[in-house]
Amino acid sequence: MIDIIYEDKCILICRKPAGLAVQNASIGKKDLESMVRTYLAEREGKSAPYLGIIHRLDQPVQGLVVFAKNSKSAASLSAQVQDGRMKKYYLAVTDGLPAEKTGELVHYLKKDGRTNTSSTVPAQVPGAKKACLRYQVREEKGRKALLEIELFTGRHHQIRVQLAAAGFPIVGDRKYHPSKEPVSGMGLCAYRLELIHPQTGKEMTFFCEPEGEPFTDFPVKKKSFGKLLFHRNHRIPKSGAY
């Protein structure tokens, strides 16, 4: 069943559960794209309804995903992703505490397609891409912290790689923080999405609550969303790589 947060004739926003691929799942497994297409086909009576994929989340990551329901909306939303008008914010539970309560992380990342991983590299390495984010510590318990993250660039596994490189990896991230401690799920949620409606031009903000074991110690409810907001129009950091 699809958890739809908002829908109109131009866009559809839903909450992707952890473990579900957005697109191209393995043979015999469902993905979010096929589920949304089936939902639209059954409701609209069309065998092949239009569905534009605007952005993706890693399969272990939960949170908000927006789809376009026509080509004009897809073009508008894709342009917003490219020029930074679409803003994406995450909540992350980390194993380790940042030295600073608020900070910017700037790295250069390179993807390895053979292992489906990314790593930090010097800026001059061929294929390296700049990755920028801003974080703020919202709560600490022991050696764990709840971070709110504003993502400026959309690199492969960006948040996971950058936090691990900075010394406070994400709880439950088996790829970049293998641990003997059994944890069900990953502590990363795309909890807030801001965009401009492709038809009305209205600024819209959507939220979802993180779920699962990593967030048990840091419950986040809708009533607290107003306390978890970065200000709009932050600029991409210009500082050098860490």
Side-chain angles (χ1 to χ4, degrees):
M1 183 175 180
I2 307 169
D3 186 359
I4 297 176
I5 304 297
Y6 175 85
E7 182 184 5
D8 60 25
K9 64 181 181 180
C10 296
I11 62 176
L12 185 150
I13 296 171
C14 59
R15 183 188 187 284
K16 184 187 86 66
L20 179 68
V22 172
Q23 188 182 33
N24 296 331
S26 303
I27 296 176
K29 294 184 178 181
K30 293 182 178 179
D31 58 44
L32 187 60
E33 178 194 19
S34 62
M35 293 172 67
V36 175
R37 284 190 187 278
T38 299
Y39 159 77
L40 292 175
E42 292 177 348
R43 199 191 63 176
E44 299 175 1
K46 298 179 180 178
S47 59
Y50 183 94
L51 187 67
I53 297 178
I54 308 304
H55 65 112
R56 294 168 175 81
L57 293 178
D58 295 346
Q59 187 165 336
V61 179
Q62 60 179 291
L64 298 173
V65 178
V66 57
F67 293 96
K69 294 176 67 177
N70 55 62
S71 59
K72 288 185 178 180
S73 296
S76 173
L77 294 173
S78 295
Q80 292 179 45
V81 171
Q82 293 299 316
D83 63 23
R85 286 177 295 157
M86 183 180 293
K87 296 182 179 294
K88 291 173 272 188
Y89 302 83
Y90 293 72
L91 292 173
V93 178
T94 63
D95 185 5
L97 308 178
E100 303 293 335
K101 300 297 184 183
T102 301
E104 297 172 354
L105 298 181
V106 183
H107 294 91
Y108 285 85
L109 307 184
K110 184 173 182 179
K111 179 180 178 180
D112 185 340
R114 297 171 299 174
T115 60
N116 191 33
T117 60
S118 289
S119 58
T120 57
V121 296
Q124 63 271 20
V125 170
K129 296 182 178 180
K130 192 174 185 180
C132 310
L133 62 80
R134 178 180 284 120
Y135 72 86
Q136 185 165 344
V137 177
R138 291 299 178 179
E139 191 176 352
E140 295 179 358
K141 288 188 178 181
R143 288 293 303 166
K144 295 180 181 179
L146 176 69
L147 272 58
E148 183 183 11
I149 296 168
E150 180 179 10
L151 195 62
F152 294 112
T153 51
R155 308 306 181 198
H156 179 253
H157 293 176
Q158 178 181 334
I159 297 175
R160 300 163 63 183
V161 177
Q162 287 197 271
L163 296 193
F168 37 97
I170 296 172
V171 171
D173 189 346
R174 298 178 181 177
K175 186 162 287 190
Y176 298 102
H177 183 50
S179 173
K180 294 181 180 179
E181 180 183 356
V183 178
S184 176
M186 183 190 298
L188 186 59
C189 175
Y191 91 104
R192 173 182 166 201
L193 178 66
E194 295 182 358
L195 55 83
I196 300 170
H197 194 277
Q199 183 177 59
T200 66
K202 179 182 177 181
E203 292 183 354
M204 306 181 76
T205 302
F206 303 93
F207 298 94
C208 72
E209 298 178 10
E211 300 177 350
E213 182 181 346
F215 290 96
T216 302
D217 292 331
F218 302 97
V220 179
K221 301 300 181 182
K222 289 182 179 180
K223 64 181 181 180
S224 66
F225 283 154
K227 302 176 182 178
L228 291 167
L229 305 185
F230 277 113
H231 295 294
R232 285 187 61 86
N233 301 321
H234 279 165
R235 296 181 179 179
I236 294 177
K238 295 183 180 179
S239 52
Y242 280 46

